[in-house]
Amino acid sequence: MNTTLSHWEIDPTHSSINFSVKHMMIAKVHGGFTVVSGKLLLDRHDLKKSSIEASIHADSIDSHEAKRDEHLRSVDFFDVQKYPLITFKSKRFELSGDEQYKVIGDLSIHGISKEIILEVDAPAIELKDPWGNIKMGASASTKIKRKDFGLTWNAALEAGGLLVGDDVAVTLDIQFVKKVQKGRIYD
């Protein structure tokens, strides 16, 4: 049995998936998704053995404005009835510097998959929480283009330009919990 490969699950109550996009070409609108799940297999000694998969419920979008969220869930944007999940599946992990990783993988939004690179701060040390769970955290970021994923709705502004920018900055702050099987830590 490989003792260097550890199994983790995303802790959804202590994780956040956030984004920002230009609105009216003058300010950024921020939002996020509140429902995420996934698993991480991590080998700190041989990154080639590591992998991560995550699913985000598209209908959990929260931009702090109920009417805008309704529009974002509609066929104009995420079309959550047809495409309920946003998914990420890694292809490879690479060390990119001290305490920095690149996780390359396929992001699927709105039925379209594109390879992206997540810039990841090295996972934090493992700690035991007050209830005996082993936890670890990591932060990541990337930039995507809405149009690459078929999210093309927009409106022209009277003064020129467009209502919604194409570039979307994505930040992830993820807490993982070590998987337990039959009352013991699963490694």
Side-chain angles (χ1 to χ4, degrees):
M1 181 191 252
N2 181 355
T3 58
T4 62
L5 190 64
S6 55
H7 298 244
W8 301 83
E9 291 180 355
I10 292 175
D11 179 350
T13 60
H14 297 103
S15 298
S16 63
I17 313 295
N18 297 297
F19 63 85
S20 64
V21 62
K22 282 276 190 168
H23 180 256
M24 295 183 58
M25 301 173 48
I26 57 173
K28 290 181 183 177
V29 169
H30 296 263
F33 296 90
T34 59
V35 181
V36 61
S37 62
K39 62 183 178 178
L40 167 69
L41 299 176
L42 180 63
D43 189 326
R44 293 180 191 256
H45 303 292
D46 185 357
L47 288 177
K48 289 179 250 171
K49 294 178 183 173
S50 298
S51 65
I52 188 167
E53 292 182 17
S55 295
I56 300 165
H57 288 246
D59 66 354
S60 74
I61 194 163
D62 181 2
S63 68
H64 315 293
E65 171 56 45
K67 287 189 185 279
R68 180 174 47 223
D69 292 344
E70 285 177 36
H71 190 204
L72 291 170
R73 291 181 188 108
S74 77
V75 295
D76 286 344
F77 285 93
F78 288 101
D79 194 1
V80 300
Q81 293 299 316
K82 188 172 182 181
Y83 306 106
L85 294 177
I86 297 168
T87 61
F88 179 79
K89 184 174 183 176
S90 67
K91 293 179 175 179
R92 67 188 180 280
F93 282 49
E94 297 175 358
L95 189 60
S96 63
D98 265 0
E99 305 295 314
Q100 298 278 311
Y101 292 95
K102 289 184 185 218
V103 178
I104 297 91
D106 290 327
L107 177 65
S108 297
I109 301 174
H110 199 250
I112 297 172
S113 293
K114 297 281 182 186
E115 185 176 276
I116 66 163
I117 299 172
L118 293 173
E119 300 288 341
V120 182
D121 292 333
I125 60 170
E126 299 173 20
L127 296 172
K128 189 180 283 191
D129 72 13
W131 300 273
N133 301 300
I134 308 289
K135 300 279 187 110
M136 168 182 70
S139 296
S141 62
T142 192
K143 290 188 179 178
I144 62 172
K145 295 201 173 283
R146 290 187 317 115
K147 291 178 186 170
D148 288 350
F149 296 94
L151 302 174
T152 58
W153 183 92
N154 225 324
L157 298 173
E158 186 177 308
L162 297 171
L163 183 65
V164 183
D166 190 37
D167 296 325
V168 181
V170 180
T171 57
L172 307 108
D173 289 297
I174 306 295
Q175 191 171 115
F176 297 94
V177 61
K178 203 167 218 181
K179 192 172 175 184
V180 176
Q181 187 174 16
K182 294 182 183 173
R184 66 178 183 78
I185 301 298
Y186 180 81
D187 277 329

